[in-house]
Amino acid sequence: MRSRKFLKAEQAPLVWDAPGLMAGVDEAGRGPLAGPVVAAAVILDDLRPIRGLADSKTLTALQRERLHDQILAKALCCSIAQASVEEIDSLNILQATMLAMRRAVEGLRLKPVKVLVDGNRLPRLDVLAEAIVKGDARVKAISAASILAKVHRDRLCKQLHDEFPNYGFAGHKGYGTREHLEALQRHGACVHHRRSFSPVAAALARTAAEMPTAVVIAAS
C-alpha cells in the first residue's frame, strides 16, 4: 500500500500543472509621473503562433505596433485594463498596479486555469497564479501582455499630449525626464499628474506657495 506521503507528492502536479488555458499578465506605467497604470492579460493560441514576441522594452515602437495588431488578431482572447491616477494616489502605485492586473484577468472572455504574472508580486485572483521574475522575456504570453499594455499606454500618452502639449507626454510618456521635470517647474502639475509622486508634490507645493504673491500682483 502506498504511503500517504507518496500519494501527496504524486498528486501535487495535478494541482500546480493542471491542463488548460494559461494567461500571461504584465503592466506598463508604474514609474511615470502622470497617467494611469495599464495592465494586459493574454491567452495565446498554440495553433496560431506569433513570431517575434519579446519583452516590449527590447522592441522598437514599430515592432510593438505590428505585434500588437497580430496579438489582437491571433490570440484566443486579450484584455486591457487600467487603474486611474486617482486610484494610484489613494492606494499607492503597487496596489493600483495589482488592481489593474486583476481587472485585466477578470476581463478575459475565457477563464484560464493558471495566470503567469511578470515580476515578484501577485494580484488577488480566483485562479491559480505564479509570479515569474523577468517573465516578459521568458514567457510568450507575458511578452504579448507587455506589448499590449505598452502600446495601449503609449497611445494614451499621445492623447494626453494633445490635451496638454506643454508637458511633452508624447515623447517621454510621463516619465521623469529632464524635459518633463522642467515642464513641471514652468507650468505646475496638470490633472493627469500623480500627486503622490514626489516631483509632482513638489510642483504643487511651489504653485501653492506662489499663489498669494500672484493674487497681490493681480490686485495691484
Side-chain angles (χ1 to χ4, degrees):
M1 183 176 181
R2 296 178 181 178
S3 68
R4 183 183 299 272
K5 183 177 180 181
F6 179 80
L7 284 173
K8 189 172 183 179
E10 185 180 46
Q11 291 172 0
L14 297 178
V15 176
W16 294 102
D17 297 316
L21 299 176
M22 298 281 187
V25 177
D26 202 1
E27 54 76 27
R30 284 185 65 173
L33 307 179
V37 59
V38 176
V42 178
I43 299 177
L44 293 175
D45 186 348
D46 292 338
L47 300 179
R48 304 182 73 191
I50 301 171
R51 296 182 60 183
L53 291 176
D55 175 4
S56 63
K57 296 185 292 295
T58 68
L59 302 170
T60 66
L62 181 58
Q63 288 173 325
R64 287 194 296 267
E65 288 284 348
R66 288 175 175 171
L67 286 167
H68 170 275
D69 293 344
Q70 289 188 53
I71 294 164
L72 293 182
K74 293 184 176 182
L76 286 177
C77 60
C78 307
S79 172
I80 300 173
Q82 62 188 49
S84 67
V85 169
E86 293 77 15
E87 288 170 326
I88 292 170
D89 287 337
S90 63
L91 297 173
N92 73 47
I93 185 58
L94 174 61
Q95 295 305 317
T97 300
M98 296 297 105
L99 176 60
M101 287 183 169
R102 178 167 60 82
R103 286 171 173 167
V105 173
E106 291 175 348
L108 287 169
R109 178 177 57 84
L110 303 173
K111 186 168 183 175
V113 298
K114 188 174 183 180
V115 174
L116 306 177
V117 180
D118 182 56
N120 59 4
R121 300 291 186 97
L122 289 173
R124 292 186 177 181
L125 301 170
D126 62 354
V127 296
L128 186 65
E130 179 181 355
I132 301 178
V133 176
K134 297 184 179 179
D136 48 5
R138 298 167 56 192
V139 179
K140 295 299 183 184
I142 298 179
S143 299
S146 76
I147 292 166
L148 289 191
K150 172 66 174 168
V151 171
H152 184 83
R153 192 176 190 283
D154 284 355
R155 291 177 179 178
L156 286 177
C157 286
K158 289 180 181 178
Q159 295 176 16
L160 299 188
H161 181 86
D162 292 340
E163 187 178 357
F164 292 94
N166 289 333
Y167 295 97
F169 288 126
H172 54 64
K173 307 299 189 296
Y175 283 91
T177 63
R178 180 178 178 180
E179 175 193 1
H180 193 182
L181 295 176
E182 289 176 351
L184 271 173
Q185 287 187 334
R186 289 195 304 270
H187 307 292
C190 74
V191 294
H192 300 294
H193 279 102
R194 301 172 180 178
R195 280 144 173 73
S196 56
F197 281 44
S198 56
V200 180
L204 290 168
R206 283 195 302 271
T207 301
E210 293 168 358
M211 281 182 66
T213 303
V215 171
V216 171
I217 293 173
S220 63

